[in-house]
Amino acid sequence: LKSVSGNTLVAQTSEPMDAAALRALAQTLAQDPRVEYAEVDERVFPHFVPNDPFYAAQQGYLQSPFAQGGGANLPNAWGRSVRGVPVSGAGVTVAVLDSGYRPHVDLVANIVAGYDFVSQDGFGDFFTANDGDGRDADAQDPGDWNTRSEQCDVDNSSWHGTHAAGVIAAVGNNNTGVIGIAYRAKILPVRVLGVCGGYTSDTAAGLQWAAGLAVPGIPANANPAKVINLSFGRSGACSQTYQNAMQAVINAGVVVVVSTGNDASTTDITQPSNCQGVIAVTAHTSAGANTDYANVGAGTTISAQGNNIYSLNNTGTTVPGADSYSALRGTSFSAPQVAGVAALLAQIKPGISPAEVKAHLTSSARPYLAGTYCVGRPECGAGLLDAFKAVYTLLQSQGVANAAPLMAALPQQYVLPGGALQFTARATDADGDGAAFIATGIPNGATFDAVTGVFNWPKAQPAGDYTVVIQPTDGATLGASVSVKIAVTTAIPVQPVVPEVPPTPIQPNPPTPPLTLTPIASSGGGGGALGWIDIAAGLLLVTGAAWARRAAVPQKLRS
């Protein structure tokens, strides 16, 4: 089809082939003595870095764990695409049941028509509502400041709902302010909190309406949500009212994400996060340790960063003022991060069930930082939120072409007793955060460089067989590790020279052939490897001349 260099040509298959067939074809070609190597002509993808001014300096909670230990690893997720659209929450509606919203310049384009469910307190009193009326179609936040200490703490307006909504879906890559996790998702604002919080009745009604279920006396929801975020709660077991509402919503296929609370409890989480079927989110620090305020306990699902969560705000201390930005903390702003990632998963697989979302989030979570409180404690949940790993595994299960294993295979390594062995582990840097590895099974006297991937054994002994397992530190795929077999032996196999004869014609869909690989030098230099295969790529890079020269040298070990 085309050339790369004098020795390297691109050949196109006669028909589309999946990853397994392409891998088999490449391996078959590589066994021809006139071919130095054959690999798939893969696509490469741009690394997404948003142009929102506050992203780099203020939104560390979204960044790679290599940049911030507790980061949710969003850039690597955003760099993927599905059906030609970036992974960004496009086409997904997320309901935010909270204090309402302000039409912030960095959010309003992603707002769809919601509803105000804050009703009267009784006998004509609208103290909680603070807008002079009860339930209506205006979900804007009038402010929730309080001057009556007998009800709750005296305080200024919090603009809590706007901050949470911004974490989920602030407009992204618009050269303005911050970026939301699901920056192309739509926000359905459902106002259920006012002065001194809200009532179970209003929040349960708003929850059902957000999912598209009927609520007496309320018009039908024209924008049913796939994901619902609840950043509120109270002590006690899950009430029957909450559990009934949750079950109806989950049965409708809607994901419910709830914060666990900020009471520093190590045994109990608040309701409704302790209701059955929800995703309950606690908070960790920027380094990945559970915060000193975040509740953990039975029912906790996962953790997201809770400190210095920079998002949208308003300058008004009572009634609304100007748009602004600020950093707040609490599980209230950890839960929206998980809701945002749930929206990314719903974009990839529109019909995904709440149970599937929960499974992808928990199976892809990173372990808590060694030496911290939550290590080995199931009441802390599965671990730290990792958007890239959750997105990646779902893309892979859906057969999307840019989700492929990171680690390149390595052939068996041979070295004489007392000899030197060196080889390099390689990974396709699909996640854009730089190569870094961990290795287990390192023999005594050998070293492994976690940054460069270089294994070095200057004096291999005693004789025997060894297995070293190497994997990327971000665990970008389940099963991304590679096992390298090492034989310290005097019986190093020698592959005989193969005469140059015309190769056997290759069938369109060959079976995966056995592959015999031996090292290039008896001192133990590592052999070549096939990298990851792009599904249905159909293009093979083949280099021949150098291999043909190598094959002409008798008794020379090769790989």
Side-chain angles (χ1 to χ4, degrees), residues 165-479:
V167 173
I168 298 169
V171 180
N173 215 36
N174 62 340
N175 285 297
T176 302
V178 297
I179 184 172
I181 287 175
Y183 62 92
R184 289 188 179 180
K186 296 300 182 183
I187 291 292
L188 175 72
V190 183
R191 185 171 181 251
V192 296
L193 305 180
V195 180
C196 297
Y199 292 98
T200 298
S201 55
D202 291 339
T203 54
L207 176 67
Q208 294 172 99
W209 182 86
L213 305 178
V215 175
I218 306 298
N221 177 8
N223 304 289
K226 177 62 179 178
V227 181
I228 299 176
N229 185 84
L230 313 178
S231 289
F232 56 78
R234 61 185 171 97
S235 61
C238 178
S239 70
Q240 194 64 52
T241 300
Y242 270 142
Q243 189 59 65
N244 289 346
M246 293 293 179
Q247 199 59 57
V249 167
I250 292 167
N251 287 347
V254 179
V255 179
V256 182
V257 181
V258 194
S259 56
T260 61
N262 307 315
D263 308 305
S265 174
T266 58
T267 57
D268 297 297
I269 60 178
T270 58
Q271 61 168 310
S273 69
N274 55 14
C275 295
Q276 295 296 311
V278 307
I279 296 172
V281 185
T282 187
H284 60 257
T285 67
S286 60
N290 187 249
T291 66
D292 56 3
Y293 56 79
N295 295 347
V296 294
T300 303
T301 306
I302 197 168
S303 183
Q305 195 165 319
N307 295 347
N308 299 313
I309 308 304
Y310 202 79
S311 183
L312 314 181
N313 214 315
N314 189 280
T315 61
T317 56
T318 55
V319 298
D323 291 346
S324 66
Y325 300 85
S326 69
L328 298 177
R329 73 171 189 159
T331 60
S332 280
F333 309 115
S334 301
Q337 295 172 55
V338 175
V341 176
L344 303 184
L345 300 180
Q347 176 195 354
I348 295 167
K349 186 179 180 181
I352 195 169
S353 70
E356 286 179 284
V357 169
K358 192 171 188 177
H360 275 286
L361 290 171
T362 54
S363 65
S364 61
R366 300 194 308 274
Y368 280 102
L369 186 69
T372 60
Y373 174 80
C374 278
V375 174
R377 295 181 183 271
E379 65 270 25
C380 291
L384 313 183
L385 175 68
D386 194 304
F388 169 64
K389 291 170 66 179
V391 162
Y392 185 94
T393 55
L394 182 57
L395 283 170
Q396 193 175 39
S397 72
Q398 296 294 293
V400 177
N402 59 352
L406 286 181
M407 289 299 299
L410 282 164
Q412 182 161 349
Q413 307 291 314
Y414 295 93
V415 61
L416 294 168
L421 172 66
Q422 185 177 94
F423 60 83
T424 302
R426 304 190 192 283
T428 302
D429 193 16
D431 58 0
D433 57 16
F437 307 91
I438 54 175
T440 55
I442 301 296
N444 289 337
T447 61
F448 181 76
D449 190 311
V451 176
T452 64
V454 173
F455 173 95
N456 186 49
W457 199 358
K459 192 173 183 180
Q461 56 184 349
D465 296 326
Y466 303 82
T467 300
V468 178
V469 179
I470 303 170
Q471 66 185 96
T473 54
D474 61 6
T477 67
L478 300 178

